[in-house]
Amino acid sequence: GCVHMYPYMVPDGKGSLLVTSSDGLSDSKGHLLWALKISGFTRLIPISKSGQAPAFISYHPYQSIDRYDSAGKILWSVKLGLSGIGTYNTPDDECLPFALTGDGKSQQIKIFDLTGKLRKAISLPAWASNVQTIAWPMRGNLLVGSGSNIGVLDGEGKEILRHVIKDTSFNPYHGPDGTAVHFDPVQKPYLAIMSHGSSGYSRSVLLIFDPTGRLVWQEELNKLGTMLVVPQKDATGEVLLVGGMDGVIEYSLPKMTNSNENAREGR
């Protein structure tokens, strides 16, 4: 099977952290608290928000999506053919579980409420194999992609952005992963996306789109693994942190410049 793949960190509500992975739930010292008893590739994803008791979802490939409490008890299970799971942030900032179902022209994500009731379904393009929620240009949207193809869909499945990654020394394979960044607090957010080479090729590409969806920055880097948005030290907007083989790199928007001169501040 898969060992400690797809890790996520989540507060335990007691001042420490828990770590989820394909193996199950571990404490901050790496001790496995309870195991996922699922064969094959799966993942355990936190769905609780800050201040709430930890809760999680996992799935049996092509069989069911399951919700767990912090003790590993299954609270509900929905049987359906699915190939993946994720979390969807609604326009009201609810964090809900979704299942990726179907293939080709029938591909959808099915979004469930926290009791296991189907909330809505969103149809996806046939080329979209990777799906995640994204708050760009607003909450309730989806970042989808496969290989060099990237798209952003609204909550009804309508395409907002479509882009093909070009001019890289490798063929993008894993990803995309993305986040919205308020570089300037008075503007709408920028969109930061990273995509990666295959497992044997340690290269990634970072792309940044302005609030209108225009590509304003592209940079190829050694393998990246993490992307975070944090407040600037002077509390005027946000900066983007990406971490990988070269350590942590910070990106920000220069205060007095044209938008096509967005640049990396430093390592």
Side-chain angles (χ1 to χ4, degrees):
C2 45
V3 179
H4 289 305
M5 292 179 66
Y6 312 117
Y8 300 85
M9 290 193 299
V10 60
D12 66 356
K14 303 174 184 177
S16 187
L17 293 171
L18 299 171
V19 179
T20 72
S21 73
S22 55
D23 282 344
L25 184 68
S26 302
D27 63 18
S28 59
K29 296 180 179 180
H31 299 141
L32 190 64
L33 301 176
W34 50 267
L36 277 175
K37 298 176 181 179
I38 300 173
S39 60
F41 287 90
T42 189
R43 63 179 70 195
L44 185 68
I45 299 178
I47 57 172
S48 53
K49 300 187 90 103
S50 177
Q52 298 176 344
F56 313 93
I57 55 170
S58 188
Y59 74 109
H60 287 75
Y62 309 105
Q63 295 181 41
S64 67
I65 179 173
D66 312 303
R67 185 188 175 196
Y68 295 78
D69 65 12
S70 58
K73 179 183 177 182
I74 295 180
L75 301 179
W76 52 258
S77 181
V78 176
K79 295 187 180 301
L80 76 166
L82 74 164
S83 57
I85 56 171
T87 57
Y88 175 76
N89 291 331
T90 71
D92 297 326
D93 205 24
E94 291 181 275
C95 183
L96 301 177
F98 76 72
L100 179 61
T101 68
D103 53 32
K105 294 183 179 179
S106 65
Q107 190 171 223
Q108 293 183 320
I109 64 164
K110 293 186 176 179
I111 301 165
F112 298 88
D113 67 19
L114 297 183
T115 69
K117 182 180 179 180
L118 182 64
R119 175 75 67 89
K120 69 182 297 186
I122 302 175
S123 295
L124 303 175
W127 50 266
S129 59
N130 193 72
V131 185
Q132 64 177 258
T133 188
I134 197 158
W136 185 90
M138 60 191 65
R139 290 193 187 107
N141 292 341
L142 298 171
L143 173 64
V144 300
S146 177
S148 297
N149 293 290
I150 295 170
V152 176
L153 312 178
D154 68 13
E156 303 303 320
K158 180 181 177 182
E159 189 176 282
I160 296 173
L161 173 71
R162 179 75 181 276
H163 181 78
V164 179
I165 301 173
K166 299 177 180 178
D167 302 322
T168 56
S169 68
F170 64 97
N171 293 320
Y173 182 81
H174 292 291
D177 301 302
T179 187
V181 193
H182 286 86
F183 284 124
D184 186 329
V186 301
Q187 290 189 45
K188 292 182 178 180
Y190 283 65
L191 174 64
I193 291 175
M194 58 184 186
S195 190
H196 320 280
S198 62
S199 300
Y201 201 83
S202 58
R203 300 294 283 170
S204 298
V205 61
L206 174 70
L207 303 98
I208 298 177
F209 299 83
D210 71 12
T212 69
R214 182 170 61 98
L215 180 66
V216 295
W217 184 261
Q218 178 171 318
E219 182 176 10
E220 189 172 323
L221 299 158
N222 286 327
K223 197 78 166 190
L224 301 175
T226 303
M227 182 160 53
L228 294 173
V229 174
V230 298
Q232 292 198 54
K233 59 184 178 182
D234 60 3
T236 57
E238 297 172 332
V239 298
L240 177 71
L241 302 180
V242 296
M245 293 174 66
D246 292 328
V248 180
I249 306 171
E250 177 183 310
Y251 296 80
S252 63
L253 186 68
K255 300 299 183 183
M256 299 297 292
T257 186
N258 294 325
S259 60
N260 63 354
E261 294 175 343
N262 297 310
R264 184 175 70 193
E265 287 289 315
R267 295 177 185 265

